[in-house]
């Protein structure tokens, strides 16, 4: 009977342990292997001559010693210890010093085929004893065998060969050391024998190819038992500091974002954005045909970054630093002070000097050393001369992601060719990847050519949809107000004609308004005069009525007084008085 009171999650198994891994310390390799090489297991690195197999094995040992305190053993079957030490000195690896510190053991094993033919016997027992002693003498955790072809060249019997290879790999696993074994590429197989890749727990294939006279190195993880991993081909470089693998699809879109606004250096252009500028850490693309002031816009942005106490890295693919500084002075953009105080760094090279991967690694190195707040690349369209469109796009994707992760504002310029300047895609195909896309174009009129600027997109903020004409003057870039005529926006001489017509219409309207004001004033005076006459007549009538009223009141008073006299009785006389009279 089932226990209904039990939790449904109680019967779920706990999370299974992941395969333990040993970080290689090689830049980019641990990212695509998701942690490093299989711990305590053999890894096969195979490839043709010149692809860096030995170097990758040595760097695996050196990084393990320096970064993870894991001593290592290098057993070589071709080069001596002195030759290996001299070969990697240019990369900053001091093998004799590591040997003196008892952290590295280099053992050269010489295999002579003639001696094998004389005795008729050959097995790996001596190798096991020798390698085991080297491992135990320094407590090694890492082992490199370079190269395995020399070791197995004395086995004519394929059955014996397969058995001995399996025995070697099993012995290495039993010792518990993380091992890197290098092997040469075979015809139609990964290795000469075609057996090592089947018994290895991890197989890394290195390739060195030449396409259109450009050398490119590629790395691919063929298999990795017990672990997921990147399955694409990844370009890698051998730099002054070692090997650098450049992963593509393993990058994660989980970087932080900023709400800080960065100005373009042109106030009128900033007003076309809802937030008055670009977001810090965003990517901005300026596209246009030749002569549309893309470089001037980029230099204005760089100068604004420096003016606000920031640092800017300017990568120029068409002009030297001196030429760029001189040309920008003609439009009042003075970059020289920022170069002198270290706020601005201009790196000018031809794209064909290096391959795309070399350019990308160089940019990464410059950014780590200079630590800029903004990066300007002018123009990215020149990179097409180094690789095809897909390779350029892949390189730019990695660069944009790297800049976003480091919260660095990026501004790219790109040349658009052809007559269709309204096209929605750039040749590099990065217009959909950037956050802000600004288009500069030629506005052709009757007998003249003008420049226009518009914002095609700006992620995260509103923006103007107008095409504004702008001028490149001795005081810099000046955006003109939009003038709309009967047929739409007008520029250049049409703008002047439209403005003159508007001024004439405004003057005529003003004159008509003044005429109406004068007519109104005349009517007002006539009305006031009429009102004055009516007031005078009214006063006369009022005075006459007042006089009549006064006379009537006087007559009435006199009549009243007369009536009073007539109605008053006469006084009586005494008799005596009358007689006396």
């Amino acid at each position: 009977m089932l226990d209904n009171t039990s939790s449904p999650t109680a019967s779920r198994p706990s999370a299974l342990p992941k395969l333990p891994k040993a970080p290689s310390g090689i830049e980019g390799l641990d990212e695509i292997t998701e942690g490093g090489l299989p711990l305590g297991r053999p890894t096969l690195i195979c490839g043709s001559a010149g692809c860096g197999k030995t170097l990758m094995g040595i760097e695996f040992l050196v990084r393990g010693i320096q970064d993870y305190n894991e001593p290592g053993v290098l057993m070589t079957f071709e080069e001596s210890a002195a030759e290996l030490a001299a070969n990697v000195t240019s990369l900053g690896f001091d093998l004799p010093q590591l040997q003196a510190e008892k952290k590295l053991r280099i053992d050269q094993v010489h295999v002579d085929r003639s001696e094998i033919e004389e005795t008729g016997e050959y097995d790996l027992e001596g190798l096991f004893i020798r390698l085991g002693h080297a491992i135990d003498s320094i407590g090694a955790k890492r082992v490199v065998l370079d190269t395995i072809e020399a070791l197995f060249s004395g086995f004519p019997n394929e059955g014996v060969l397969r058995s001995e290879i399996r025995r070697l790999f099993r012995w290495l696993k039993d010792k518990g050391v993380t091992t890197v074994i290098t092997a040469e590429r075979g015809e139609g197989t990964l290795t000469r024998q075609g057996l090592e890749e089947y018994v290895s727990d991890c197989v890394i294939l290195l390739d060195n190819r030449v396409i259109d006279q450009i050398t490119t190195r590629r790395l691919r993880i063929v298999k990795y038992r017990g672990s997921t991993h990147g399955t694409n081909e990844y370009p890698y470089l051998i730099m002054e500091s070692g090997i650098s693998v450049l992963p593509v699809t393993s990058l994660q879109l989980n970087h932080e974002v900023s709400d800080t606004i960065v100005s373009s250096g042109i106030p009128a252009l900033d007003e076309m954005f809802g937030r008055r500028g670009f977001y810090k850490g965003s990517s901005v693309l300026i596209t246009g045909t030749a002569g549309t002031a893309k470089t001037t816009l980029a230099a204005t942005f760089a100068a604004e970054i420096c003016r606000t106490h920031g640092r800017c890295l300017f990568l120029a693919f068409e002009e030297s630093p001196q030429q760029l500084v001189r040309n920008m002075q003609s439009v009042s953009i003075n970059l020289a002070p920022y170069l002198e105080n270290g706020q601005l760094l201009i790196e000018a090279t031809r794209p064909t000097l290096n391959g795309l991967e070399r350019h990308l690694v160089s940019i990464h190195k410059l950014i780590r050393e200079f630590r800029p707040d903004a990066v300007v690349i002018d123009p990215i369209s020149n990179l097409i001369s180094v690789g095809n469109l897909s390779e350029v796009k892949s390189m730019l994707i990695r660069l944009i992601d790297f800049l976003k992760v480091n919260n660095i504002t990026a501004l790219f310029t790109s040349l658009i060719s052809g007559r269709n300047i309204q096209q929605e895609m750039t040749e590099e195909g990065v217009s959909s990847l950037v956050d802000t896309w600004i288009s500069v174009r030629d506005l052709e009129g009757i007998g003249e050519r003008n420049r226009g600027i518009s914002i095609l997109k700006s992620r995260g903020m509103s923006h103007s949809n107008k095409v504004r004409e702008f001028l490149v003057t001795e005081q810099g870039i000046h955006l003109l107000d939009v003038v709309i005529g009967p047929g739409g926006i007008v520029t250049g001489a049409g703008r002047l004609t439209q403005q003159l017509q508007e001024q004439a219409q405004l003057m005529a309207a003003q004159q008509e308004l003044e005429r109406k004001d004068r007519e109104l004033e005349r009517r007002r005076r006539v009305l006031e005069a009429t009102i004055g006459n009516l007031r005078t007549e009214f006063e006369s009538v009022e005075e006459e009525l007042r006089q009549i009223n006064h006379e009537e009141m006087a007559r009435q008073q006199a009549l009243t007084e007369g009536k009073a006299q007539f109605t008053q009785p006469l006084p009586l006389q005494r008799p005596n008085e009358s007689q006396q009279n």
Side-chain angles (χ1 to χ4, degrees), residues 132 213 244 358 449 570:
Q213 301 179 357
S244 177
R358 185 83 178 187
R449 175 176 292 175
L570 295 174

Side-chain angles (χ1 to χ4, degrees), residues 172-224:
L172 291 170
K173 284 186 178 181
D174 293 341
K175 291 293 290 185
V177 290
T178 306
T179 308
V180 169
I181 302 172
T182 65
E184 296 177 0
R185 188 80 179 266
E187 293 292 336
T189 58
L190 296 180
T191 60
R192 290 281 182 89
Q193 311 299 336
L195 302 174
E196 298 92 325
E197 57 264 36
Y198 295 102
V199 295
S200 300
D201 289 83
C202 179
V203 178
I204 299 176
L205 176 62
L206 304 182
D207 184 25
N208 189 14
R209 67 190 70 167
V210 179
I211 301 176
D212 294 334
Q213 301 179 357
I214 299 174
T215 301
T216 307
R217 291 184 171 94
R218 293 286 190 272
L219 177 148
R220 180 169 65 92
I221 301 177
V222 179
K223 78 173 186 178
Y224 198 137

Side-chain angles (χ1 to χ4, degrees), residues 2-30:
L2 295 176
D3 185 5
N4 295 329
T5 61
S6 61
S7 172
T9 60
S11 61
R12 292 181 181 176
S14 58
L16 296 176
K18 295 183 178 180
L19 180 71
K21 298 183 178 182
S24 67
I26 299 174
E27 183 178 1
L29 181 59
D30 292 337

Side-chain angles (χ1 to χ4, degrees), residues 264 266 269 286 292-301 440 453 477:
S264 66
I266 306 172
L269 178 58
I286 300 177
T292 51
K294 299 183 298 296
T295 302
T296 305
L297 289 167
T300 303
F301 171 74
V440 287
I453 187 169
I477 293 179

